[in-house]
């Protein structure tokens, strides 16, 4: 066997190849299902916000809090999740998140069961259920980079990360399409809650029964073989002193926060100008489908070229341009085609950055653990997302009833979103410019792996002949 072969290739030729292969892809499938289910539960009510408000006799602001609570809870629990992943292990994190996700989905159903009814307070069943699902979210979101690093060889890491990470926007896509389809009227909300509990229950059973190992029998790469991850608190200190990482966390975290606002508020932004819930769901679906396609193509490209920085900078700029066009087009009526195209472009370049940026976070922060490096970015994104969500809603203006509006109006009238969407576009553009100008880093993990392989080769070459 030649000395120049990588550790990943050696692992693939080991006697446990088939067993490791099956467990690797089973674990990936469970994480994908869990990630997708959690995203569906997060945005269950956003595409049908007006029907939800009418059914439970609550305000739109209270419906929005069912999404915002994910952001608030994920901020403190995100740090706990990073510790769980890097200190306790991937298996424990996945199983714990599966149970939290399943329990939250079941508790939400109590709000529509007559024998569990709290009368006018049924809303709090939804809120408590959303809180439990929100506790699961950091564990689910942080898992892909850890999974890719532990179970996949270096030439498949970006692709594996892309597949598992993009199951989250797939869940957003399903929610945007399924919620309006299941709830043409408010009385169908009980059916929607039941349907959304099925994937959560399935993921919980598969994770509990099927995941039995913390790590693969044979390490798939040099960095997995020679793990040098720093202790949790030491890793946090290193990240806070790492200038490129801080820039990436602020800019990319802000981008995630902005996409969160876009997904949660899309129906409310469009209904005031006469666009239906079905059309808003279609825009959300296009946003996500094109994002999945963009992430798939960019993941394959980056696995081959390693151009992490160049790819993210180009995508960030193009997604910022798309946000500007959307902000302008959404303020006019009868612009369905323009909005659909713009949402598609916004998603294609915006979501494409996600898995690549997560890999880039690991590259620029190595040897900090994968859970910690990606987790801190997620916490930053949740903080920025809460700020953006509250700020955007505060900038809305009440307008008188318009016959062309499709919003389910309350007694105070509809909301005008002109100022918030323009601010959203401005913030996206500012973050893109800052990232392009100031972010520069070395690929520390790739360099370390290269040096490890060279050291192994040198060691084998120095062995004297018998």
């Amino acid at each position: 066997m030649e000395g120049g072969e990588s550790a990943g290739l050696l692992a693939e030729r080991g006697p446990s190849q088939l067993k490791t292969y099956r467990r690797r892809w089973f674990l990936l499938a469970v994480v994908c299902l869990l990630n997708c289910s959690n995203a569906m539960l997060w945005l269950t009510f956003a595409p049908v916000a007006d029907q939800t408000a009418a059914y439970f006799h609550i305000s739109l602001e209270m419906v929005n809090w069912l999404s915002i609570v994910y952001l608030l809870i994920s901020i403190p629990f995100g740090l706990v999740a990073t510790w769980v992943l890097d200190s306790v292990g991937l298996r424990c994190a996945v199983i714990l998140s599966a149970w939290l996700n399943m329990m939250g989905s079941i508790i939400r159903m109590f709000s529509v069961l007559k024998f569990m009814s709290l009368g006018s307070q049924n809303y709090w069943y939804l809120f408590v259920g959303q809180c439990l699902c929100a506790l699961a979210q950091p564990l689910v979101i942080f898992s892909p980079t850890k999974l890719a690093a532990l179970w996949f060889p270096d030439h498949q890491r970006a692709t594996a990360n892309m597949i598992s990470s993009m199951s989250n926007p797939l869940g957003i896509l399903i929610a945007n399409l399924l919620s309006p389809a299941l709830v043409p009227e408010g009385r169908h909300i009980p059916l929607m809650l039941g349907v959304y509990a099925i994937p959560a229950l399935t993921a919980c059973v598969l994770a509990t029964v099927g995941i039995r190992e913390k790590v693969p029998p044979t390490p798939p790469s040099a960095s997995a073989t020679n793990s040098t991850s720093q202790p949790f608190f030491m890793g946090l200190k290193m990240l806070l002193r790492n200038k490129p990482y801080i820039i990436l966390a602020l800019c990319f975290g802000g981008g995630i926060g902005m996409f969160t606002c876009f997904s949660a508020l899309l129906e409310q932004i469009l209904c005031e100008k006469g666009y239906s819930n079905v059309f808003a769901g279609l825009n959300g679906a296009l946003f996500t489908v094109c994002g999945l396609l963009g992430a798939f193509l960019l993941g394959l490209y980056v696995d081959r070229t390693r151009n992490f920085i160049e790819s993210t900078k180009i995508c960030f700029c193009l997604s910022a341009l798309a946000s500007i066009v959307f902000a302008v087009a959404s303020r006019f009526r009868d612009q369905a085609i323009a909005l659909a195209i713009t949402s598609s472009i916004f998603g294609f370049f915006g979501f494409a950055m996600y898995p690549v940026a997560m890999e880039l976070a690991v590259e620029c922060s190595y040897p900090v653990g994968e859970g910690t490096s990606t987790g801190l970015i997620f916490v930053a994104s949740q903080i920025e997302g809460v700020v953006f969500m509250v700020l955007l809603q505060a900038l809305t203006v009440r307008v008188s009833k318009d016959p062309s509006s499709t919003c389910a109006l309350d007694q105070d009238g509809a909301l005008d979103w002109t100022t918030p969407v323009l601010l959203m576009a401005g913030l996206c553009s500012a973050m893109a410019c800052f990232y392009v100008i100031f972010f520069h880093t070395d690929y520390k993990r790739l360099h370390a792996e290269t040096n490890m392989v060279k050291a192994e080769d040198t060691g084998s070459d120095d062995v004297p002949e018998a």
Side-chain angles (χ1 to χ4, degrees), residues 225-258:
T225 304
N226 303 286
S227 178
T228 56
S229 294
Q230 297 296 316
F232 176 69
F233 290 105
M234 179 64 70
L236 281 181
K237 292 180 181 179
M238 293 176 65
L239 292 179
L240 295 176
R241 296 171 183 171
N242 187 330
K243 181 180 176 181
Y245 179 84
I246 293 297
I247 294 173
L248 179 65
L250 290 176
C251 294
F252 182 60
I256 297 176
M258 200 59 66

Side-chain angles (χ1 to χ4, degrees), residues 119-369:
S120 61
Q121 302 300 313
N122 279 334
Y123 167 81
W124 296 105
Y125 280 130
L126 298 179
F127 191 81
V128 172
Q130 290 294 97
C131 288
L132 288 177
C133 296
L135 288 172
Q137 189 187 46
L139 294 166
V140 175
I141 296 275
F142 301 172
S143 295
T145 49
K146 194 72 173 180
L147 171 64
L150 285 179
W151 285 85
F152 286 83
D154 53 1
H155 64 280
Q156 294 179 354
R157 278 197 302 245
T159 301
N161 197 358
M162 177 272 299
I163 294 172
S164 50
S165 296
M166 286 301 100
S167 57
N168 184 270
L170 178 61
I172 296 174
L173 163 66
I174 295 173
N176 276 306
L177 292 176
L178 193 57
S179 289
L182 291 174
V183 188
E185 299 177 3
R187 60 189 177 87
H188 294 103
I189 282 179
L191 172 63
M192 177 181 71
L193 295 176
V195 169
Y196 277 49
I198 295 173
L201 180 61
T202 304
C204 184
V205 172
L206 291 176
T208 305
V209 175
I211 302 177
R212 299 180 179 179
E213 294 181 338
K214 291 185 177 181
V215 295
T218 308
S221 66
S223 60
T225 304
N226 303 286
S227 178
T228 56
S229 294
Q230 297 296 316
F232 176 69
F233 290 105
M234 179 64 70
L236 281 181
K237 292 180 181 179
M238 293 176 65
L239 292 179
L240 295 176
R241 296 171 183 171
N242 187 330
K243 181 180 176 181
Y245 179 84
I246 293 297
I247 294 173
L248 179 65
L250 290 176
C251 294
F252 182 60
I256 297 176
M258 200 59 66
F259 292 142
T260 298
C261 294
F262 182 86
S263 299
L265 301 173
L266 182 59
E267 183 263 343
Q268 297 172 55
I269 292 172
L270 294 180
C271 74
E272 191 264 329
K273 294 299 180 182
Y275 300 101
S276 67
N277 283 1
V278 174
F279 177 75
L282 175 62
N283 270 265
L286 289 172
F287 176 69
T288 308
V289 168
C290 292
L292 293 171
L293 177 61
F296 174 74
L297 295 176
L298 191 63
L300 294 177
Y301 172 76
V302 169
D303 260 340
R304 292 176 179 272
T305 65
R306 311 295 190 192
N307 291 331
F308 295 94
I309 298 175
E310 297 85 351
S311 300
T312 52
K313 287 185 175 182
I314 292 172
C315 287
F316 214 151
C317 290
L318 293 174
S319 62
L321 289 174
S323 71
I324 295 173
V325 177
F326 177 85
V328 175
S330 66
R331 297 303 85 205
F332 296 93
R333 305 184 192 282
D334 303 320
Q335 299 296 320
I337 295 177
L339 287 171
I341 294 174
T342 305
S343 296
S344 301
I345 296 174
F346 193 24
F348 185 88
F349 293 107
F351 273 120
M353 290 188 296
Y354 183 86
V356 178
M358 287 302 190
E359 284 292 305
L360 185 56
V362 177
E363 293 293 339
C364 75
S365 63
Y366 187 84
V368 177

Side-chain angles (χ1 to χ4, degrees), residues 17 39 217 236 390 400 453:
Q17 175 185 1
L236 281 181
V390 173
S400 58
V453 173

Side-chain angles (χ1 to χ4, degrees), residues 11-12 19-29 147 151-153 156 218 220:
E12 290 296 316
K19 181 179 179 181
T20 301
Y21 179 85
R22 287 176 175 173
R23 293 186 178 181
R24 172 190 302 166
W25 289 101
F26 175 80
L27 182 57
L28 179 64
L147 171 64
W151 285 85
F152 286 83
Q156 294 179 354
T218 308

